[in-house]
Amino acid sequence: MLLRTNKPIPFLELLSTLEDVLSRHFGRKRRIVRLRRRFSPYSSSFPLENVEVELDGRQTLRLVVKDLSPESMLPGARAVRPAFLYRRDREIEVYTRILRHSGLGTPVCYGAVQSEAQQRYRLLLERVDGPLLWQVGNFQVWEEAARWLGRLHSRYQLTNAAAQLGKNGHGRSQPRLEVGLDYDEPLL
């Protein structure tokens, strides 16, 4: 069942956010000439949107936009997860500070929005084509995924940045970092 927020990011706000973040990422002003969006069926705690943009210069990007803003938490997650687990900055920092330069083959992080004053937290990632792991029956693929996770954990288990991101705000370690990746089929 697809659970989604009742309030998608307003179109003009999404357009402005995308242009600002992509301009920072590419180091020059970028203008979006076409934008397509749809909710991802793989949203869990927060809504994911699959977005395809055509930039000036005819470059096309396929993105995942994750809205981590407090009011965007999906009802099912709000009902079962205690509020102290949510530090919106944690997932954003994992992508922007740790994975961006890790060489681990993670999706490109184009950037993020973090505005405490407006309570806006959004993450913009490359959308990667391919089947979901649970849809793959080849055990060797599962073993490679486990090896990749092992490399990720062994590389960052003792670093200060990863240790800080593993705290829940009360000085206690969390059992895991949420680093969700969205693999989805092309837009229609």
Side-chain angles (χ1 to χ4, degrees):
M1 178 166 108
L2 175 62
L3 295 176
R4 64 175 95 165
T5 180
N6 293 330
K7 286 179 50 180
I9 301 169
F11 180 80
L12 292 177
E13 185 179 331
L14 177 63
L15 179 65
S16 174
T17 296
L18 290 168
E19 286 185 339
D20 290 347
V21 171
L22 293 172
S23 293
R24 281 195 308 270
H25 176 80
F26 289 109
R28 65 184 174 90
K29 181 71 177 153
R30 298 307 304 259
R31 192 172 68 79
I32 294 174
V33 297
R34 186 176 57 97
L35 185 151
R36 297 163 115 186
R37 69 194 287 199
R38 68 180 170 95
F39 278 103
S40 170
Y42 303 111
S43 299
S44 57
S45 297
F46 290 91
L48 298 174
E49 284 193 66
N50 294 325
V51 176
E52 186 176 289
V53 296
E54 183 180 326
L55 300 172
D56 50 343
R58 311 294 284 170
Q59 181 181 10
T60 299
L61 297 174
R62 294 165 34 89
L63 309 169
V64 172
V65 177
K66 186 169 187 176
D67 188 353
L68 295 160
S69 304
E71 76 278 357
S72 296
M73 185 184 294
L74 298 174
R78 192 177 309 277
V80 297
R81 297 237 176 128
F84 77 85
L85 287 180
Y86 291 102
R87 284 188 36 221
R88 279 107 186 105
D89 62 324
R90 182 174 27 219
E91 186 169 359
I92 290 171
E93 294 296 316
V94 165
Y95 277 101
T96 60
R97 291 180 50 213
I98 296 175
L99 295 177
R100 177 174 269 169
H101 306 290
S102 69
L104 289 168
T106 55
V108 172
C109 176
Y110 288 100
V113 172
Q114 294 184 80
S115 173
E116 184 72 32
Q118 295 180 322
Q119 290 292 289
R120 298 273 190 273
Y121 301 89
R122 300 199 173 116
L123 185 60
L124 281 70
L125 302 171
E126 169 189 27
R127 194 169 82 233
V128 180
D129 289 320
L132 296 166
L133 186 58
W134 65 267
Q135 295 172 333
V136 177
N138 183 341
F139 189 66
Q140 291 173 331
V141 173
W142 284 75
E143 289 176 321
E144 180 53 37
R147 282 191 290 276
W148 183 90
L149 282 171
R151 288 191 299 274
L152 172 73
H153 286 280
S154 67
R155 181 176 292 179
Y156 295 109
Q157 70 181 357
L158 299 177
T159 66
N160 188 39
Q164 291 305 312
L165 292 170
K167 301 291 181 188
N168 66 12
H170 301 294
R172 295 186 301 270
S173 292
Q174 290 305 113
R176 63 186 169 95
L177 295 176
E178 288 193 29
V179 184
L181 305 178
D182 181 45
Y183 298 91
D184 200 359
E185 57 277 338
L187 290 173
L188 299 176

PDB file of all heavy atoms in Angstrom, residues 60-90:
ATOM      1  N   THR A  60      19.432  16.308 -18.987  1.00  0.00           N
ATOM      2  CA  THR A  60      18.325  15.723 -18.238  1.00  0.00           C
ATOM      3  C   THR A  60      18.876  15.001 -17.020  1.00  0.00           C
ATOM      4  O   THR A  60      19.861  14.274 -17.114  1.00  0.00           O
ATOM      5  CB  THR A  60      17.526  14.741 -19.109  1.00  0.00           C
ATOM      6  OG1 THR A  60      16.995  15.467 -20.233  1.00  0.00           O
ATOM      7  CG2 THR A  60      16.380  14.115 -18.340  1.00  0.00           C
ATOM      8  N   LEU A  61      18.251  15.223 -15.873  1.00  0.00           N
ATOM      9  CA  LEU A  61      18.628  14.555 -14.629  1.00  0.00           C
ATOM     10  C   LEU A  61      17.420  13.822 -14.070  1.00  0.00           C
ATOM     11  O   LEU A  61      16.301  14.336 -14.094  1.00  0.00           O
ATOM     12  CB  LEU A  61      19.110  15.558 -13.579  1.00  0.00           C
ATOM     13  CG  LEU A  61      20.356  16.366 -13.903  1.00  0.00           C
ATOM     14  CD1 LEU A  61      20.597  17.411 -12.824  1.00  0.00           C
ATOM     15  CD2 LEU A  61      21.562  15.458 -14.056  1.00  0.00           C
ATOM     16  N   ARG A  62      17.672  12.616 -13.557  1.00  0.00           N
ATOM     17  CA  ARG A  62      16.636  11.837 -12.876  1.00  0.00           C
ATOM     18  C   ARG A  62      17.000  11.842 -11.398  1.00  0.00           C
ATOM     19  O   ARG A  62      18.087  11.401 -11.022  1.00  0.00           O
ATOM     20  CB  ARG A  62      16.598  10.435 -13.454  1.00  0.00           C
ATOM     21  CG  ARG A  62      16.145  10.443 -14.919  1.00  0.00           C
ATOM     22  CD  ARG A  62      16.410   9.155 -15.663  1.00  0.00           C
ATOM     23  NE  ARG A  62      16.319   7.945 -14.895  1.00  0.00           N
ATOM     24  CZ  ARG A  62      15.197   7.228 -14.717  1.00  0.00           C
ATOM     25  NH1 ARG A  62      14.070   7.627 -15.257  1.00  0.00           N
ATOM     26  NH2 ARG A  62      15.221   6.119 -14.025  1.00  0.00           N
ATOM     27  N   LEU A  63      16.097  12.360 -10.583  1.00  0.00           N
ATOM     28  CA  LEU A  63      16.382  12.599  -9.176  1.00  0.00           C
ATOM     29  C   LEU A  63      15.384  11.904  -8.270  1.00  0.00           C
ATOM     30  O   LEU A  63      14.266  11.592  -8.670  1.00  0.00           O
ATOM     31  CB  LEU A  63      16.319  14.106  -8.873  1.00  0.00           C
ATOM     32  CG  LEU A  63      17.126  15.037  -9.764  1.00  0.00           C
ATOM     33  CD1 LEU A  63      16.730  16.479  -9.497  1.00  0.00           C
ATOM     34  CD2 LEU A  63      18.604  14.830  -9.531  1.00  0.00           C
ATOM     35  N   VAL A  64      15.806  11.737  -7.023  1.00  0.00           N
ATOM     36  CA  VAL A  64      14.921  11.375  -5.927  1.00  0.00           C
ATOM     37  C   VAL A  64      14.967  12.561  -4.970  1.00  0.00           C
ATOM     38  O   VAL A  64      16.049  13.004  -4.577  1.00  0.00           O
ATOM     39  CB  VAL A  64      15.405  10.106  -5.200  1.00  0.00           C
ATOM     40  CG1 VAL A  64      14.577   9.859  -3.949  1.00  0.00           C
ATOM     41  CG2 VAL A  64      15.336   8.912  -6.115  1.00  0.00           C
ATOM     42  N   VAL A  65      13.804  13.084  -4.621  1.00  0.00           N
ATOM     43  CA  VAL A  65      13.719  14.165  -3.639  1.00  0.00           C
ATOM     44  C   VAL A  65      13.053  13.588  -2.402  1.00  0.00           C
ATOM     45  O   VAL A  65      11.919  13.107  -2.466  1.00  0.00           O
ATOM     46  CB  VAL A  65      12.910  15.372  -4.180  1.00  0.00           C
ATOM     47  CG1 VAL A  65      12.781  16.454  -3.119  1.00  0.00           C
ATOM     48  CG2 VAL A  65      13.556  15.915  -5.445  1.00  0.00           C
ATOM     49  N   LYS A  66      13.784  13.613  -1.301  1.00  0.00           N
ATOM     50  CA  LYS A  66      13.240  13.113  -0.037  1.00  0.00           C
ATOM     51  C   LYS A  66      12.939  14.304   0.848  1.00  0.00           C
ATOM     52  O   LYS A  66      13.822  15.105   1.150  1.00  0.00           O
ATOM     53  CB  LYS A  66      14.235  12.168   0.647  1.00  0.00           C
ATOM     54  CG  LYS A  66      13.658  11.509   1.891  1.00  0.00           C
ATOM     55  CD  LYS A  66      14.552  10.396   2.382  1.00  0.00           C
ATOM     56  CE  LYS A  66      13.874   9.628   3.517  1.00  0.00           C
ATOM     57  NZ  LYS A  66      14.696   8.482   3.943  1.00  0.00           N
ATOM     58  N   ASP A  67      11.688  14.425   1.259  1.00  0.00           N
ATOM     59  CA  ASP A  67      11.258  15.521   2.123  1.00  0.00           C
ATOM     60  C   ASP A  67      11.316  15.055   3.568  1.00  0.00           C
ATOM     61  O   ASP A  67      10.463  14.304   4.024  1.00  0.00           O
ATOM     62  CB  ASP A  67       9.850  15.967   1.744  1.00  0.00           C
ATOM     63  CG  ASP A  67       9.426  17.231   2.474  1.00  0.00           C
ATOM     64  OD1 ASP A  67      10.162  17.700   3.366  1.00  0.00           O
ATOM     65  OD2 ASP A  67       8.350  17.758   2.140  1.00  0.00           O
ATOM     66  N   LEU A  68      12.333  15.507   4.290  1.00  0.00           N
ATOM     67  CA  LEU A  68      12.539  15.123   5.689  1.00  0.00           C
ATOM     68  C   LEU A  68      11.965  16.154   6.664  1.00  0.00           C
ATOM     69  O   LEU A  68      12.242  16.099   7.858  1.00  0.00           O
ATOM     70  CB  LEU A  68      14.042  14.952   5.953  1.00  0.00           C
ATOM     71  CG  LEU A  68      14.703  13.813   5.184  1.00  0.00           C
ATOM     72  CD1 LEU A  68      16.198  14.005   5.111  1.00  0.00           C
ATOM     73  CD2 LEU A  68      14.352  12.491   5.816  1.00  0.00           C
ATOM     74  N   SER A  69      11.171  17.078   6.157  1.00  0.00           N
ATOM     75  CA  SER A  69      10.570  18.109   7.007  1.00  0.00           C
ATOM     76  C   SER A  69       9.628  17.466   8.020  1.00  0.00           C
ATOM     77  O   SER A  69       8.957  16.481   7.707  1.00  0.00           O
ATOM     78  CB  SER A  69       9.808  19.119   6.148  1.00  0.00           C
ATOM     79  OG  SER A  69      10.669  19.679   5.177  1.00  0.00           O
ATOM     80  N   PRO A  70       9.574  18.008   9.248  1.00  0.00           N
ATOM     81  CA  PRO A  70       8.778  17.376  10.306  1.00  0.00           C
ATOM     82  C   PRO A  70       7.319  17.108   9.931  1.00  0.00           C
ATOM     83  O   PRO A  70       6.801  16.040  10.220  1.00  0.00           O
ATOM     84  CB  PRO A  70       8.864  18.371  11.465  1.00  0.00           C
ATOM     85  CG  PRO A  70      10.084  19.165  11.208  1.00  0.00           C
ATOM     86  CD  PRO A  70      10.264  19.205   9.716  1.00  0.00           C
ATOM     87  N   GLU A  71       6.680  18.056   9.250  1.00  0.00           N
ATOM     88  CA  GLU A  71       5.262  17.871   8.914  1.00  0.00           C
ATOM     89  C   GLU A  71       5.055  16.842   7.812  1.00  0.00           C
ATOM     90  O   GLU A  71       3.934  16.425   7.557  1.00  0.00           O
ATOM     91  CB  GLU A  71       4.612  19.205   8.524  1.00  0.00           C
ATOM     92  CG  GLU A  71       4.967  19.712   7.142  1.00  0.00           C
ATOM     93  CD  GLU A  71       6.311  20.441   7.052  1.00  0.00           C
ATOM     94  OE1 GLU A  71       6.978  20.619   8.080  1.00  0.00           O
ATOM     95  OE2 GLU A  71       6.691  20.815   5.934  1.00  0.00           O
ATOM     96  N   SER A  72       6.145  16.406   7.172  1.00  0.00           N
ATOM     97  CA  SER A  72       6.036  15.465   6.061  1.00  0.00           C
ATOM     98  C   SER A  72       6.124  14.005   6.474  1.00  0.00           C
ATOM     99  O   SER A  72       5.916  13.129   5.640  1.00  0.00           O
ATOM    100  CB  SER A  72       7.126  15.753   5.030  1.00  0.00           C
ATOM    101  OG  SER A  72       6.925  17.036   4.486  1.00  0.00           O
ATOM    102  N   MET A  73       6.444  13.750   7.733  1.00  0.00           N
ATOM    103  CA  MET A  73       6.542  12.353   8.161  1.00  0.00           C
ATOM    104  C   MET A  73       5.221  11.647   7.868  1.00  0.00           C
ATOM    105  O   MET A  73       4.146  12.174   8.124  1.00  0.00           O
ATOM    106  CB  MET A  73       6.865  12.243   9.644  1.00  0.00           C
ATOM    107  CG  MET A  73       7.079  10.799  10.081  1.00  0.00           C
ATOM    108  SD  MET A  73       7.343  10.596  11.851  1.00  0.00           S
ATOM    109  CE  MET A  73       8.893  11.416  12.060  1.00  0.00           C
ATOM    110  N   LEU A  74       5.331  10.465   7.312  1.00  0.00           N
ATOM    111  CA  LEU A  74       4.138   9.711   6.929  1.00  0.00           C
ATOM    112  C   LEU A  74       3.409   9.190   8.169  1.00  0.00           C
ATOM    113  O   LEU A  74       4.043   8.892   9.193  1.00  0.00           O
ATOM    114  CB  LEU A  74       4.527   8.571   6.005  1.00  0.00           C
ATOM    115  CG  LEU A  74       5.164   9.044   4.690  1.00  0.00           C
ATOM    116  CD1 LEU A  74       5.661   7.872   3.883  1.00  0.00           C
ATOM    117  CD2 LEU A  74       4.193   9.879   3.884  1.00  0.00           C
ATOM    118  N   PRO A  75       2.098   9.089   8.104  1.00  0.00           N
ATOM    119  CA  PRO A  75       1.297   8.714   9.276  1.00  0.00           C
ATOM    120  C   PRO A  75       1.724   7.396   9.925  1.00  0.00           C
ATOM    121  O   PRO A  75       1.785   7.303  11.147  1.00  0.00           O
ATOM    122  CB  PRO A  75      -0.125   8.627   8.724  1.00  0.00           C
ATOM    123  CG  PRO A  75      -0.121   9.489   7.512  1.00  0.00           C
ATOM    124  CD  PRO A  75       1.261   9.398   6.936  1.00  0.00           C
ATOM    125  N   GLY A  76       2.043   6.394   9.131  1.00  0.00           N
ATOM    126  CA  GLY A  76       2.446   5.110   9.690  1.00  0.00           C
ATOM    127  C   GLY A  76       3.721   5.214  10.509  1.00  0.00           C
ATOM    128  O   GLY A  76       3.858   4.607  11.566  1.00  0.00           O
ATOM    129  N   ALA A  77       4.673   5.998  10.029  1.00  0.00           N
ATOM    130  CA  ALA A  77       5.934   6.191  10.753  1.00  0.00           C
ATOM    131  C   ALA A  77       5.701   7.010  12.020  1.00  0.00           C
ATOM    132  O   ALA A  77       6.263   6.718  13.073  1.00  0.00           O
ATOM    133  CB  ALA A  77       6.949   6.886   9.859  1.00  0.00           C
ATOM    134  N   ARG A  78       4.874   8.029  11.916  1.00  0.00           N
ATOM    135  CA  ARG A  78       4.588   8.881  13.073  1.00  0.00           C
ATOM    136  C   ARG A  78       3.959   8.064  14.214  1.00  0.00           C
ATOM    137  O   ARG A  78       4.204   8.315  15.386  1.00  0.00           O
ATOM    138  CB  ARG A  78       3.638  10.001  12.652  1.00  0.00           C
ATOM    139  CG  ARG A  78       3.501  11.105  13.663  1.00  0.00           C
ATOM    140  CD  ARG A  78       2.599  12.235  13.159  1.00  0.00           C
ATOM    141  NE  ARG A  78       2.937  12.756  11.856  1.00  0.00           N
ATOM    142  CZ  ARG A  78       3.877  13.667  11.612  1.00  0.00           C
ATOM    143  NH1 ARG A  78       4.587  14.135  12.591  1.00  0.00           N
ATOM    144  NH2 ARG A  78       4.099  14.082  10.388  1.00  0.00           N
ATOM    145  N   ALA A  79       3.184   7.051  13.844  1.00  0.00           N
ATOM    146  CA  ALA A  79       2.489   6.236  14.850  1.00  0.00           C
ATOM    147  C   ALA A  79       3.421   5.278  15.596  1.00  0.00           C
ATOM    148  O   ALA A  79       3.127   4.899  16.717  1.00  0.00           O
ATOM    149  CB  ALA A  79       1.369   5.444  14.183  1.00  0.00           C
ATOM    150  N   VAL A  80       4.540   4.885  14.980  1.00  0.00           N
ATOM    151  CA  VAL A  80       5.371   3.848  15.600  1.00  0.00           C
ATOM    152  C   VAL A  80       6.764   4.298  16.021  1.00  0.00           C
ATOM    153  O   VAL A  80       7.435   3.579  16.745  1.00  0.00           O
ATOM    154  CB  VAL A  80       5.518   2.620  14.664  1.00  0.00           C
ATOM    155  CG1 VAL A  80       4.169   1.979  14.409  1.00  0.00           C
ATOM    156  CG2 VAL A  80       6.216   2.977  13.368  1.00  0.00           C
ATOM    157  N   ARG A  81       7.210   5.448  15.578  1.00  0.00           N
ATOM    158  CA  ARG A  81       8.572   5.878  15.894  1.00  0.00           C
ATOM    159  C   ARG A  81       8.568   7.031  16.885  1.00  0.00           C
ATOM    160  O   ARG A  81       7.888   8.022  16.688  1.00  0.00           O
ATOM    161  CB  ARG A  81       9.285   6.340  14.629  1.00  0.00           C
ATOM    162  CG  ARG A  81       9.448   5.243  13.620  1.00  0.00           C
ATOM    163  CD  ARG A  81      10.904   5.081  13.295  1.00  0.00           C
ATOM    164  NE  ARG A  81      11.111   3.976  12.385  1.00  0.00           N
ATOM    165  CZ  ARG A  81      11.788   4.070  11.263  1.00  0.00           C
ATOM    166  NH1 ARG A  81      12.281   5.227  10.890  1.00  0.00           N
ATOM    167  NH2 ARG A  81      11.970   3.013  10.522  1.00  0.00           N
ATOM    168  N   PRO A  82       9.368   6.910  17.954  1.00  0.00           N
ATOM    169  CA  PRO A  82       9.450   8.024  18.908  1.00  0.00           C
ATOM    170  C   PRO A  82      10.152   9.230  18.278  1.00  0.00           C
ATOM    171  O   PRO A  82      11.072   9.079  17.469  1.00  0.00           O
ATOM    172  CB  PRO A  82      10.267   7.452  20.069  1.00  0.00           C
ATOM    173  CG  PRO A  82      10.928   6.229  19.553  1.00  0.00           C
ATOM    174  CD  PRO A  82      10.172   5.770  18.351  1.00  0.00           C
ATOM    175  N   ALA A  83       9.720  10.419  18.659  1.00  0.00           N
ATOM    176  CA  ALA A  83      10.228  11.661  18.063  1.00  0.00           C
ATOM    177  C   ALA A  83      11.732  11.830  18.246  1.00  0.00           C
ATOM    178  O   ALA A  83      12.402  12.392  17.377  1.00  0.00           O
ATOM    179  CB  ALA A  83       9.483  12.855  18.650  1.00  0.00           C
ATOM    180  N   PHE A  84      12.308  11.359  19.349  1.00  0.00           N
ATOM    181  CA  PHE A  84      13.736  11.589  19.583  1.00  0.00           C
ATOM    182  C   PHE A  84      14.632  10.883  18.568  1.00  0.00           C
ATOM    183  O   PHE A  84      15.805  11.222  18.429  1.00  0.00           O
ATOM    184  CB  PHE A  84      14.135  11.215  21.018  1.00  0.00           C
ATOM    185  CG  PHE A  84      14.271   9.733  21.267  1.00  0.00           C
ATOM    186  CD1 PHE A  84      15.461   9.060  20.977  1.00  0.00           C
ATOM    187  CD2 PHE A  84      13.213   9.013  21.821  1.00  0.00           C
ATOM    188  CE1 PHE A  84      15.574   7.709  21.221  1.00  0.00           C
ATOM    189  CE2 PHE A  84      13.337   7.661  22.060  1.00  0.00           C
ATOM    190  CZ  PHE A  84      14.516   7.003  21.761  1.00  0.00           C
ATOM    191  N   LEU A  85      14.090   9.923  17.810  1.00  0.00           N
ATOM    192  CA  LEU A  85      14.886   9.245  16.792  1.00  0.00           C
ATOM    193  C   LEU A  85      15.128  10.118  15.573  1.00  0.00           C
ATOM    194  O   LEU A  85      16.010   9.836  14.771  1.00  0.00           O
ATOM    195  CB  LEU A  85      14.205   7.954  16.339  1.00  0.00           C
ATOM    196  CG  LEU A  85      14.216   6.795  17.310  1.00  0.00           C
ATOM    197  CD1 LEU A  85      13.492   5.601  16.707  1.00  0.00           C
ATOM    198  CD2 LEU A  85      15.635   6.412  17.680  1.00  0.00           C
ATOM    199  N   TYR A  86      14.340  11.166  15.384  1.00  0.00           N
ATOM    200  CA  TYR A  86      14.426  11.951  14.167  1.00  0.00           C
ATOM    201  C   TYR A  86      15.294  13.175  14.331  1.00  0.00           C
ATOM    202  O   TYR A  86      14.908  14.150  14.939  1.00  0.00           O
ATOM    203  CB  TYR A  86      13.025  12.333  13.676  1.00  0.00           C
ATOM    204  CG  TYR A  86      12.306  11.111  13.199  1.00  0.00           C
ATOM    205  CD1 TYR A  86      11.351  10.500  13.973  1.00  0.00           C
ATOM    206  CD2 TYR A  86      12.655  10.526  11.994  1.00  0.00           C
ATOM    207  CE1 TYR A  86      10.739   9.347  13.556  1.00  0.00           C
ATOM    208  CE2 TYR A  86      12.044   9.363  11.575  1.00  0.00           C
ATOM    209  CZ  TYR A  86      11.090   8.788  12.353  1.00  0.00           C
ATOM    210  OH  TYR A  86      10.491   7.648  11.937  1.00  0.00           O
ATOM    211  N   ARG A  87      16.478  13.069  13.790  1.00  0.00           N
ATOM    212  CA  ARG A  87      17.360  14.213  13.607  1.00  0.00           C
ATOM    213  C   ARG A  87      17.474  14.352  12.095  1.00  0.00           C
ATOM    214  O   ARG A  87      18.166  13.589  11.446  1.00  0.00           O
ATOM    215  CB  ARG A  87      18.725  13.939  14.235  1.00  0.00           C
ATOM    216  CG  ARG A  87      18.708  14.043  15.742  1.00  0.00           C
ATOM    217  CD  ARG A  87      20.095  13.967  16.350  1.00  0.00           C
ATOM    218  NE  ARG A  87      21.103  14.614  15.533  1.00  0.00           N
ATOM    219  CZ  ARG A  87      22.322  14.099  15.348  1.00  0.00           C
ATOM    220  NH1 ARG A  87      22.671  12.968  15.904  1.00  0.00           N
ATOM    221  NH2 ARG A  87      23.195  14.723  14.601  1.00  0.00           N
ATOM    222  N   ARG A  88      16.760  15.304  11.560  1.00  0.00           N
ATOM    223  CA  ARG A  88      16.702  15.474  10.113  1.00  0.00           C
ATOM    224  C   ARG A  88      18.088  15.656   9.499  1.00  0.00           C
ATOM    225  O   ARG A  88      18.340  15.264   8.377  1.00  0.00           O
ATOM    226  CB  ARG A  88      15.841  16.679   9.736  1.00  0.00           C
ATOM    227  CG  ARG A  88      14.379  16.354   9.746  1.00  0.00           C
ATOM    228  CD  ARG A  88      13.706  16.991  10.951  1.00  0.00           C
ATOM    229  NE  ARG A  88      12.331  16.555  11.038  1.00  0.00           N
ATOM    230  CZ  ARG A  88      11.921  15.661  11.920  1.00  0.00           C
ATOM    231  NH1 ARG A  88      12.747  15.096  12.731  1.00  0.00           N
ATOM    232  NH2 ARG A  88      10.664  15.317  11.968  1.00  0.00           N
ATOM    233  N   ASP A  89      18.978  16.255  10.273  1.00  0.00           N
ATOM    234  CA  ASP A  89      20.313  16.511   9.752  1.00  0.00           C
ATOM    235  C   ASP A  89      21.130  15.236   9.566  1.00  0.00           C
ATOM    236  O   ASP A  89      22.048  15.200   8.761  1.00  0.00           O
ATOM    237  CB  ASP A  89      21.070  17.468  10.667  1.00  0.00           C
ATOM    238  CG  ASP A  89      21.280  16.918  12.071  1.00  0.00           C
ATOM    239  OD1 ASP A  89      20.379  16.227  12.590  1.00  0.00           O
ATOM    240  OD2 ASP A  89      22.335  17.190  12.646  1.00  0.00           O
ATOM    241  N   ARG A  90      20.803  14.173  10.278  1.00  0.00           N
ATOM    242  CA  ARG A  90      21.627  12.967  10.238  1.00  0.00           C
ATOM    243  C   ARG A  90      21.698  12.364   8.830  1.00  0.00           C
ATOM    244  O   ARG A  90      22.783  12.137   8.298  1.00  0.00           O
ATOM    245  CB  ARG A  90      21.115  11.927  11.235  1.00  0.00           C
ATOM    246  CG  ARG A  90      21.979  10.682  11.241  1.00  0.00           C
ATOM    247  CD  ARG A  90      21.624   9.667  12.305  1.00  0.00           C
ATOM    248  NE  ARG A  90      20.263   9.696  12.729  1.00  0.00           N
ATOM    249  CZ  ARG A  90      19.875   9.536  13.993  1.00  0.00           C
ATOM    250  NH1 ARG A  90      20.759   9.343  14.931  1.00  0.00           N
ATOM    251  NH2 ARG A  90      18.600   9.547  14.309  1.00  0.00           N
TER     252      ARG A  90
END
